[in-house]
Amino acid sequence: MMVSTMEPENVLVFGSMPKTQMIQSSHLVCSNFSRLTNASVFYSSSPLTMMLPLLLLQLSLGSAAILVTFYLLRPFGLPLMLAQVLGGVLLGPSLLCRIPGLLNMIFPIRSFLLMDVVSTMGFMFYFFLVGVQTDIWLLKKITKKSFAIGFFSVAVPMILTLGMSLLWMRFNVNPNEKKKVDSLPEIAKAESLVSFQIVSYYLSELRVINSEIGRVALCSSMVSTLCSTCVVTSNILWNQSKDDLSRFFQSICYGIIFASLVCCILGPLLLWEMKHTLGGQPLKQGNLVVLFIAVLMSGFWGHSFGLNIYFGPLLFGLIIPSGPPLGSALVEKLDVITNWVLMPLFFVKFGLAVDIFALSLKTYFKVQFFALLGAFGKFLGASLCALSCQMPQRDAIVLGFFMTFQGVIELDLFRLMKRKQIIGDEAFSAMCLTALIGSGVVALVVPCFYDPSKRYEGYYGRTLAHSRHNSELRVLVCIHEEQNVPSAINVLATLKPTKQSPIAVYMLHMVELMGSATPLLMRQKRPKKLSTTTRGSAPIIDAFKIFEENHDGLVSVSPFISVSPPQTMHEDVFQIALEKGTSLVIIPFYKKFHVGGAVYMNKRSLKIANQNVLDQAPCSVAILVDRGTLKTLHAIWAGWSSSEVAVIFLGGADDQEALALAAKMTGCQNINLTLIRIIYDGDFPDKYMEGIRNDNESLGQFQTNISGNTCAKYWEEVAKDGPGTASVLRTLENQYDIIVVGRRHYDTFPLLSGLTESNENKELGVIGDMLASSDFLGNTTILVVQQHTDNSHGE
C-alpha cells in the first residue's frame, strides 16, 4: 500500500463530477501495489482493478483518441498539436467521460499515481526535445527589425491586457467575485506571452518556415520568447517566495547556479565524450543511453534546486547542437515514443481537468475577452512594427497572425497557474478552450491570406528555348547526397561553355531538416569552416570546385547549403532561382535504379520536394535519374573520352525545351549527339496543328544549327501507337550515356496510347518512366525536362 500526494487539480476536478468516488482528504490517494497484474477475466476478475492493465488501457485510449482526431482534422490542414489537445479534451468530462460509470472505471482516482509519473516523464522528454530543436545561434541573426517586432509583440498585448484588468478590478463592485477578478492580471500576463517553439511548429506545419516572412517570424518569436521567459520566471519565483524579496533573489541564484552547472560542466563533458567516442560515426546505442540518463538526472537535480522539474531537461537540450548528427539522431529516436506513447497521457490528464459543461458563460466570455485582447495586442504590435519596417502590408498582417499561436507550452503554463491556485477551474477551462479555438481558427485563416507559391506566378519565360543564343547560361543544380554528384557533373560537362556563353552553376546541397526547428540557407565560400550541421557538404563542394577549376574561367560555381524540411525545400530552390535568374533547375530523382531497372533506393520524403519544384518552379526543370555512373569524371572534363547523348522528340513544349538543352551540347567535340524524332503514322486531329507547327520550327532551327557538325545526327522513326513507340525506345539498348526527354506531351497523344496506364512515376512522364525503369539501357543517365510555361503552376 502506498499513499500518494496528488496535484490539487487532478483530484478536485473529480470531486466536482457526479458519481465520482472520493476519499475524505482531497490530497491523499491510497494505491495498492500488491495488485498490479494478477487479475484475469478467466478467474472472474476485471483487469481494470489492476494498476498496470489500467495504465496500458489509458495509454491506448489516449493514443487512439489523438490518432482519430488527427485524421479527422487533417483534411482541414490543422496540425497534430491541435489534435493532441482536442483528443485529450474529448476523452475527459467534456464528452466521453460524461457517460455514467465510465469515469470511475477507466480513470479512477487510484490510477492517477502512475498517470502522473508517466505523463511527467513524457513531458520531461518533450521539453528536452524542445531544447534540442531550438537553435540558440538564431540569436546571432536577430536584426533591429526582428528585435522590434518581437519586443512589441509582447509589450503591446501586456499593456492592453494589464491595463484592462486593472480597470476591471477598480470598477468591480461585486464582493463575491473578488477572487475571480483578482486573478485577471495573471490571466492578462499569460495571454500576452509568445513561445518560439510553438510559432516555429506552426510555421513548419503550414509550410512557410522557409519563406522570407517565416524567417522573420522565427527571429521575432525568439525575441518574444526571451521577453516572455523573463516575465513568467520572475512572476513564478515571486509567487513562490510569498512576496519575500530575499527568497526571490535566493531562487534566482539557485537557478543561475544550476544553469551554470549544466551549461559549463555537465553539457561540455558529455559533448566532449560524444565527439571523441563517435569520431564522425552515427550515434551508438550506448551514447543514447548516456544522454537519456543525463536527461533524467537534469530533471532530478533541477527539482533538488527548487526549480521546475522540466527546467533541467529543457536547459540540457538547449546545449546540444541542433540538427545532424547528434540532434537529428535524438529526435529520430525520441519523437515517436514521446509524442505518441508518453505525451498522450499528459493530454488525457489535461483533458480530464477541462469540463466545458461546468463552465459558466460569464466566466468564459470574460476570459475570452482577455484572450482576444491579448491576441489583438500581439497582432497589432507585430503588424504595425512590421509595416514601419517597410514590410508589405499582406506580409505584415500574416506575421501578426503568426505571433498569436498558442500550444502545449501555454497550456502547461495554465496548468501551473491552476495548481498554484492563481486561477480557478472555470478560468482554466476557459483559457484552454480559447487557446484551442484561437489557434485552430488562425491555422485555417493564414493559408487564405498567404500562399508562398503566388509570389512566383509573375515570373514567366525563364526557359532555355527563349534564352538568348550568346548569353550566360545559369543553372541551379540541386544535390541531395554525394551519390548525386557524378551524374550531375557529367550532365554539366556535356554543355558547351565559351567566352561568349559561359556557364554559371549554382550548386544547392539540400539537407533534410531533422532535430532542429530552424531552417538554414547559406552561401558557403569556405568548406573548411563548415559547422557540424553542414559538414557533410564539404566533399560535394570540393567536387564542384574542381569542376570549376578544370574549365579555365568558363564555368563559375557558387555553392549553397539548405537545411529544411522536405515540405519546404522548394522555397530555397525558388529563392535562389529568382535571385540568380537561372533558366534551368536540375534536381535528382528521389529513386535510384539498378542497371537492370530495379529500384534499390527510395527516399519518399524527397518526393515531396521534387513535386513542389515541378509544380511551382519559376524556370524550367530537369529531373536527373541516376542509373549508374558514366565514365570517370576527369576523363569527360578533359575530353579524353567521348560521351554519347540522345534526345527523344515526340512533340510538345517540354520536348522543345529538351531540344534547346541539346543545342547547348552540340559544340563539344567529345559529345556525340543524336536527335531521334518519333513521327506518328497517321493524321493528327486539328487541336494538335498549332503545337506541331511549333515543333517543326524548333526542329528546323536545330537542324540548321547542326548542319556541317559531324558530332550531331538526326533521324526519324515512325510509330502508330504506344507499343510502336516502346519498340523504338528498345532500339536504344546500351548505345547512349545520357538520354534527354521531355516530361509532358500532348493530351491523348496517339504515340502514347496504351502506355499511360503503366506510368508509375508521374514526375518523369510516360517516356521518362519507361526509360528509367527499363532493363535494356544499362547505366544510362536519364534527364527529364519540363519547360516553364504559364500553366506550370499547380499542374
Side-chain angles (χ1 to χ4, degrees), residues 30 43 50 163 169 195 244 256 265 356 395 441 508 535 557 562 592 650 713 732 750:
C30 297
Y43 293 95
M50 304 297 141
M169 292 174 64
S195 170
D244 187 340
I256 294 174
I265 298 177
I356 61 175
D395 289 358
V441 170
L508 177 63
R535 192 169 293 162
V557 175
S562 167
K592 289 194 174 179
L650 278 76
K713 296 182 292 185
L732 309 179

Side-chain angles (χ1 to χ4, degrees), residues 340-357:
W340 288 102
V341 179
L342 299 177
M343 280 296 288
L345 262 192
F346 169 83
F347 292 108
V348 168
K349 205 176 97 174
F350 157 80
L352 290 172
V354 177
D355 186 2
I356 61 175
F357 294 98

Side-chain angles (χ1 to χ4, degrees), residues 51-69:
M51 295 185 67
L52 187 56
L54 185 60
L55 177 66
L56 297 178
L57 177 63
Q58 292 167 347
L59 285 168
S60 302
L61 278 176
S63 299
I66 290 173
L67 186 63
V68 171
T69 310

Side-chain angles (χ1 to χ4, degrees), residues 93-130:
S94 298
L95 183 67
L96 189 64
C97 283
R98 297 206 73 80
I99 300 175
L102 192 64
L103 179 65
N104 285 321
M105 181 174 65
I106 300 180
F107 301 106
I109 293 293
R110 56 184 170 80
S111 69
F112 265 65
L113 175 62
L114 285 183
M115 283 184 69
D116 276 345
V117 173
V118 176
S119 63
T120 301
M121 289 274 292
F123 213 51
M124 280 178 60
F125 278 102
Y126 174 80
F127 266 95
F128 173 66
L129 288 178
V130 167

